[in-house]
Amino acid sequence: MSGNRAVAYLKPGTVEVRTIEHPTLELKDGPGVAPRNVGRTCRHGVILKVLATNICGSDQHMVRGRTTAPEGLVLGHEITGEIVEKGPDVEFLDVGDIVSVPFNIACGRCRNCKERKTGICLNVNPARPGAAYGYVDMGGWVGGQAEYAMIPYADFNALRFPDADQAREKLLDLTMLSDIFPTGFHGAVTAGTKVGSTVYVAGAGPVGLAAAASAQLLGAAVVIVGDMNSERLAQARSFGCETVDLTRGTVEEQVAEILGVPEVDAAVDAVGFEARAHGPDAPEAPATVLNSLMGLTAAGGALGIPGLYVTDDPGGVDQDARTGTLKVRLGLGWAKSHRFTTGQCPVMQYHRGLMMAILHERVHIAKAVNATVIGIEDAPRGYAEFDQGASRKYVLDPHGALSGARPV
């Protein structure tokens, strides 16, 4: 089989749908592929017909030119699909199975994987611990914003849905299991959210909205979402969140109006390194959210930090920011005995439980993040609209599996 339409990064602000080679069970040379990964044979892998693949804010960082992503890098790490081919070493999956693929690529054999720290697998990226599909400096595994994709270590990585017909029916919700739902949930869990908590989520993009829905699922008494985008704040209110408009007044003042006190039990940073100072037309200030959350979070509380921070940012506001060196008020966090959790979400710690919550109608994550289906050929428009602040989670539909699907 030849031909495979895929979304590739060209230059800052530009992506293109182009035809690439159909995947095989071998990692071949290409844009961003780590030289020591070239020729890696994946007898343990499967080929997926991609049924749903999503545009992520992390992809947007690359498309804005805020990373060292090379021209031609095929994007996409949020992948749900049907197995159409499997390698000879795959034991427990079959052709026809529909699976969710964690964005973390993990071998299942190293020390970290055995401890379920799958975001920092030691064997899949020669450069450093951890790998992902279609992402800069993450080993060069080809991205999944495509018609077909290869998934290595499939028995370990892929989450098989128990009923294929049910999976197709709930595909718009289930596609969120590859990244943003577990990532948002991880943010809420590591912030210490529990029954009765008051929770503040910085950022009303898809991950922030997923974190807010996760906090509700975990039993939070009040979930407050802060942003400067009125459309995104309205989306947060649509499923029962309180909101803070960062273009007016301080966070503490607005939180006090809601809770009666200017602090919360738990806080989630769903913004990351492209943060802006608070206020209308505020300039970029990458440590803003972290410092704000330390001021807002009660002593003894915790910060969950699923928002992306990078080691190399060519567009950073100063030399420190360009190397990921931020002016964080660590003394304040230390004085308040805060706990911090950073890094990639270890998706496997959460995805099966969240799948069950979806299948049994305990959560409607596609509705919370305003999932919006577009064809793969419309990916450039989706990236452009998302970059302009559209309050939507764009889901690419390469084969028409989501025809007529709407969030419920």
Side-chain angles (χ1 to χ4, degrees), residues 247-332:
T247 65
R248 65 168 191 88
T250 69
V251 177
E252 289 85 357
E253 288 171 343
Q254 294 182 67
V255 167
E257 291 176 7
I258 297 166
L259 299 177
V261 292
E263 63 180 21
V264 294
D265 301 320
V268 179
D269 174 1
V271 178
F273 74 104
E274 286 194 69
R276 294 186 173 277
H278 299 162
D281 302 317
E284 189 169 303
T288 295
V289 173
L290 294 173
N291 290 328
S292 173
L293 295 189
M294 283 187 281
L296 184 65
T297 305
L303 277 63
I305 309 173
L308 177 67
Y309 289 87
V310 296
T311 55
D312 293 291
D313 174 12
V317 294
D318 54 33
Q319 185 56 44
D320 282 342
R322 286 191 281 274
T323 59
T325 304
L326 308 184
K327 297 177 180 178
V328 176
R329 294 188 65 194
L330 186 59
L332 176 60

Side-chain angles (χ1 to χ4, degrees), residues 26-63:
E26 179 182 320
L27 187 54
K28 300 177 181 178
D29 198 6
V33 178
R36 283 187 285 166
N37 263 351
V38 174
R40 190 167 181 159
T41 301
C42 299
R43 293 169 56 89
H44 41 66
V46 298
I47 306 297
L48 291 189
K49 177 182 179 181
V50 178
L51 301 181
T53 178
N54 317 325
I55 295 175
C56 180
S58 298
D59 299 319
Q60 199 73 63
H61 293 307
M62 289 187 289
V63 173

